[in-house]
Amino acid sequence: MAASKEELTTSLENPDVPATNKRFVPLENNPEVMSSLLHQLGMSKSIGFHDVYSIDDPELLAFVPRPAYALLLVFPVNERYEKFRSQEDSSKPEYQGSGPGEEVMWFKQTIGNACGLIGLLHGASNGPVKTFIEHGSDLERLLQEATPLDPIQRADLLYESRALESAHQIAAQKGDTVAPSAADYVELHYVCFVKSMDNNLWEMDGRRIGPLKLGKLGPDEDVLSEKALTLSVRSFLKREEQAGGGELRFSLVALGQSFD
């Protein structure tokens, strides 16, 4: 059963999905796992995820195919982050975007342990990478159905999607480590950064009140450009350090052309 409107508009102090909602086995932050799920849903195999080993070393960044269409930042949720998120979201109206004129497609997370899946969908459904979605695929149908819906209806669509749940279950059993239980609490969270067709950089997080516009990029600047990294990942890490958290443990994968 999908979540009610009251459950979806959870208080800012507790953005996590209700305990009674269904839960998925968490995805391992592994490019092979994420790419496998993406391909199973219907993205062309010419597109895949890649590890980003450094955001400062040009030689290591050179290993990542460009342009990079999306970044998935994975980090442990802590009290400092939750305080910042709550303060920032409290000053913004709840997002109500829908329809073909929507600059970015945003998904509210209502499934437990599904932040990796939501991040993947945000990366695949925004910007020029959408042109690589295969015709007639589950992903194409899902995005076509989601486009006219408001955020609550869109969240229900994901919640009830058997194709999405089946693909996620298969991908969650892959990876280098033993998959945890769906009932386990996982402190790691995924946030996606995408560049829209209007050249704006957006932060996409299903636990937030909506998508966050971070700034304008040039036509030739992707999500791994200096400006994009300054507005997104570096800003995120700097905030944590300034709040007294020290160096934040994180990992990063980029969506771009496959090596194969």
Side-chain angles (χ1 to χ4, degrees):
M1 178 180 179
S4 67
K5 182 174 182 179
E6 289 73 24
E7 289 174 323
L8 285 174
T9 53
T10 314
S11 71
L12 292 173
E13 288 72 28
N14 182 20
D16 296 313
V17 299
T20 54
N21 278 27
K22 69 181 179 182
R23 303 176 67 82
F24 285 175
V25 173
L27 289 175
E28 181 178 301
N29 183 34
N30 177 312
E32 288 74 25
V33 171
M34 303 299 283
S35 295
S36 173
L37 174 55
L38 192 63
H39 298 154
Q40 188 168 350
L41 289 172
M43 181 65 74
S44 166
K45 290 187 177 181
S46 65
I47 298 295
F49 284 98
H50 307 273
D51 278 317
V52 179
Y53 294 110
S54 172
I55 57 174
D56 299 307
D57 187 331
E59 292 186 0
L60 292 177
L61 277 171
F63 285 105
V64 183
R66 310 292 284 271
Y69 298 113
L71 292 179
L72 280 180
L73 173 68
V74 188
F75 63 96
V77 172
N78 55 39
E79 186 176 347
R80 290 182 302 278
Y81 171 76
E82 290 295 83
K83 181 179 180 180
F84 171 82
R85 179 205 52 75
S86 178
Q87 290 175 343
E88 188 172 49
D89 281 0
S90 65
S91 65
K92 300 179 184 297
E94 187 171 0
Y95 184 68
Q96 297 295 333
S98 65
E102 189 180 22
E103 184 176 345
V104 289
M105 181 175 287
W106 178 77
F107 298 100
K108 176 75 174 175
Q109 181 182 341
T110 60
I111 303 170
N113 288 337
C115 59
L117 172 65
I118 299 298
L120 180 148
L121 289 175
H122 282 145
S125 59
N126 289 290
V129 76
K130 291 188 297 183
T131 61
F132 293 93
I133 296 173
E134 294 180 343
H135 180 64
S137 66
D138 289 331
L139 184 56
E140 183 188 57
R141 286 190 291 270
L142 184 73
L143 298 186
Q144 287 175 344
E145 292 177 22
T147 296
L149 305 180
D150 65 34
I152 291 176
Q153 295 169 325
R154 196 174 282 172
D156 278 345
L157 175 69
L158 299 191
Y159 195 97
E160 301 292 353
S161 172
R162 293 184 178 180
L164 204 59
E165 184 168 0
S166 175
H168 187 281
Q169 286 176 342
I170 294 172
Q173 301 307 316
K174 300 180 179 181
D176 298 327
T177 59
V178 177
S181 165
D184 289 348
Y185 169 75
V186 179
E187 67 168 2
L188 295 177
H189 183 57
Y190 288 73
V191 170
C192 185
F193 299 101
V194 300
K195 179 184 178 182
S196 72
M197 298 299 289
D198 292 339
N199 293 326
N200 289 311
L201 182 67
W202 291 81
E203 177 181 331
M204 311 290 284
D205 183 350
R207 292 177 74 243
R208 301 296 297 265
I209 203 165
L212 302 175
K213 186 187 292 187
L214 302 180
K216 195 80 171 180
L217 299 178
D220 297 327
E221 292 178 309
D222 66 2
V223 294
L224 274 178
S225 66
E226 279 295 307
K227 185 174 182 179
L229 287 173
T230 298
L231 291 170
S232 59
V233 181
R234 290 188 184 124
S235 175
F236 188 96
L237 299 177
K238 182 178 179 180
R239 185 179 70 236
E240 283 292 312
E241 292 175 5
Q242 291 177 338
E247 187 175 354
L248 183 68
R249 175 170 54 94
F250 76 98
S251 60
L252 194 66
V253 294
L255 183 62
Q257 292 284 337
S258 298
F259 289 127
D260 297 335

